[in-house]
Amino acid sequence: MGYSHYFNQKANLDEQEWINVCSGFSKIIATSTAPLGDITMTESYIAINGQCETFYISKDIEASPYDKELDGMGFCKTRQAPYDEVVTACLIYLYYEVPTKFDISSDGGWAHWLTGRELYTRAFGVTPENILERGKTNVSVSN
């Protein structure tokens, strides 16, 4: 049995959104002390290799490495390995930075995201609300 996070990309990101996402993810990665493998950031995708599955986000739904029949649905099994804090902090960032572009869910609850929430707070100086609850208001943060 695994522990996974799910992110349904509903629309492509525009140039400025992509620049912001790359910048935000870079800040999260630089702030984290979790051991990470290869990290790739290009004009079309970000891949963060941890101790389990690679966390992958693409600018365009069509560029996703996932099965095209999944129509933008992405997932990352972390098994709660140390890099889970980076994955969850990045998902929190997506929720706030591009709120209409992704639906985010997880096998774990908000309590399981504690290290990711703490990392997000260290990186941006903002304590995130529970993004796993439906109906929360999204607020953008500045880089």
Side-chain angles (χ1 to χ4, degrees):
M1 180 179 210
Y3 172 82
S4 300
H5 305 294
Y6 309 93
F7 36 98
N8 179 30
Q9 186 171 355
K10 301 183 291 186
N12 294 336
L13 302 180
D14 66 33
E15 283 300 318
Q16 190 58 55
E17 289 169 334
W18 187 245
I19 289 168
N20 293 347
V21 167
C22 288
S23 175
F25 280 26
S26 292
K27 193 169 191 175
I28 289 166
I29 291 164
T31 304
S32 176
T33 59
L36 299 173
D38 293 334
I39 299 166
T40 305
M41 288 195 185
T42 73
E43 293 178 1
S44 60
Y45 72 92
I46 300 169
I48 303 170
N49 191 354
Q51 296 84 12
C52 195
E53 292 181 348
T54 299
F55 176 58
Y56 186 100
I57 296 289
S58 59
K59 179 182 173 196
D60 299 321
I61 294 171
E62 297 80 23
S64 172
Y66 302 108
D67 188 333
K68 301 303 180 211
E69 293 177 12
L70 295 177
D71 194 29
M73 187 63 186
F75 56 89
C76 181
K77 183 182 293 186
T78 65
R79 294 189 183 129
Q80 295 180 301
Y83 84 116
D84 185 69
E85 76 169 24
V86 173
V87 173
T88 53
C90 287
L91 290 173
I92 293 167
Y93 186 82
L94 288 175
Y95 176 86
Y96 284 111
E97 187 60 37
V98 286
T100 63
K101 304 290 175 96
F102 289 89
D103 287 329
I104 298 167
S105 61
S106 178
D107 289 342
W110 194 235
H112 295 104
W113 287 42
L114 178 61
T115 58
R117 293 174 3 224
E118 290 171 341
L119 174 57
Y120 182 88
T121 299
R122 288 193 314 272
F124 301 105
V126 177
T127 301
E129 295 180 8
N130 184 346
I131 70 162
L132 299 178
E133 288 183 8
R134 301 291 182 229
K136 288 285 186 182
T137 301
N138 295 327
V139 179
S140 182
V141 297
S142 60
N143 291 328

